[in-house]
Structure formats: C-alpha cells, structure tokens
Amino acid sequence: NPEIGVWTNTTFVNITVTSNPLMEIPEDIVAGTAPHGKETTVGYFTIKSVGNDRLINITFNLTSLEDFVVEFIPAITELDAGQQQRIDVNVTVPTGYNPGTYTGVLNVTTGNDGWKNLTIEVTVPVDRTWSMYPKQCQQLERPTEGIACEVNVTNLGNIYINFTITPTAANYTWAVSYTHLRAHETSL
C-alpha cells in the first residue's frame, strides 16, 4: 500500500548445535584363519565417526581368546567427526595349539557415545608338518648287526602324527620304539 510506506522487520534467531558424537561399526563379526606359531591378520573392522563431534577415549576390550595374542592396528583413542578408520585384527596363535574354531567378543567403547560388541572368530587349521634328520642313512655290510644311524623326527604340527618306519632294503629286522608324536615332540 503506497500510503503506508515500506516496512521491514528483522528477527534474529539463535540456533545452538549441541555436541552429538556418534560411533558406527558396520561389521558384526571378524573371522579368519590363523595358523599356530605365526602372527596373522584375520580380518578388520571399521570405526566411523558419523556425528558432529569427535569420538574420544576409544578402547578395545576382548573377552575369551585369552591363549592368543590379539592386536588391533592401529590402536586409536580418538576419531574426528566425519572420519573413519580401518582396524586390522592381528592374531598370534601359540605354537602347537590344537586345531579348531575359537570365538571371542570384542567390546569397542567410546568415552562419549557408548559401545558396540563384535564377534572375533579364529580358526586354527590342522598342521601335520614334520622334519627328519638325517634324510637317509646307510650301513656297511660288516658288521651285519648294530645301529646304522639315529634318525631325529620332529613333529612341527599341532596334532598327533603316526609314523611307520620301513627300511627299503631286503633282509632286515627293525624295531621302532615310537610310532606317534605329539605336537612339537621329537623322537629318535
């Protein structure tokens, strides 16, 4: 309306955005195979900071799997908003450990957004490896009796191994005192 004039109205609104840190871990399980006596990466999980503030005081607490050495690499304690971090799960299984599938629960906790549990599943495969020294032995024809040589057989695996020792020459008599070896046992 031209008779009234031009009016303007200015309104100020204050908006306060509060801190809202949010942790997200898409994986529910990390599973893999880890041979005995070696460090192996069995898998990974991803921590995502999807809120508007950094995640602080991040900790990892694993229950069960006490016989294994489990490392989370990198070992982070904070994660900025909008960032994500892949965490490798490295497992060292003791030498000679029984084959099978072992399960633990990993609790990932933050100081400002709660926690999440993941299942860690480690399969230790059967290992039947062994070594023998010397690889062969020979005896002269004279004397016709006695020890040709001593053979050292070592079970390098993680289960019992049965052996049958048979000479390849004819006209022999052989007595074997050990026919099986436990994991990491040596016999002559």
Side-chain angles (χ1 to χ4, degrees), residues 152-157 160 178 180-187:
N152 183 2
V153 177
T154 303
N155 182 353
L156 302 172
Y160 283 105
Y178 293 98
H180 68 278
L181 296 175
R182 292 184 179 96
H184 281 270
E185 184 177 64
T186 300
S187 173

Side-chain angles (χ1 to χ4, degrees), residues 6 15 26 34 54 61 77 83 116 122 126 138-139 151 156 159 161 165 168 174:
V6 177
I15 299 174
R54 73 175 20 202
N61 184 27
T77 58
Q83 299 295 309
K116 178 174 181 184
V122 179
V126 170
Q138 298 175 348
Q139 179 183 3
V151 177
L156 302 172
I159 60 169
I161 299 178
I165 301 172
T168 57
W174 192 286

Side-chain angles (χ1 to χ4, degrees), residues 22-27 44-51 53-55 58 74 76 78-87:
L22 292 173
M23 175 180 64
E24 188 177 282
I25 300 176
E27 299 84 3
Y44 69 90
F45 61 94
T46 306
I47 299 177
K48 297 180 178 183
S49 180
V50 296
D53 204 353
R54 73 175 20 202
L55 297 171
I58 300 169
I76 63 170
E78 294 186 348
L79 190 60
D80 287 334
Q83 299 295 309
Q84 65 181 24
Q85 179 66 55
R86 172 185 160 146
I87 307 292

Side-chain angles (χ1 to χ4, degrees), residues 90-104:
N90 287 5
V91 176
T92 302
V93 177
T95 300
Y97 206 81
N98 288 333
T101 300
Y102 302 90
T103 303

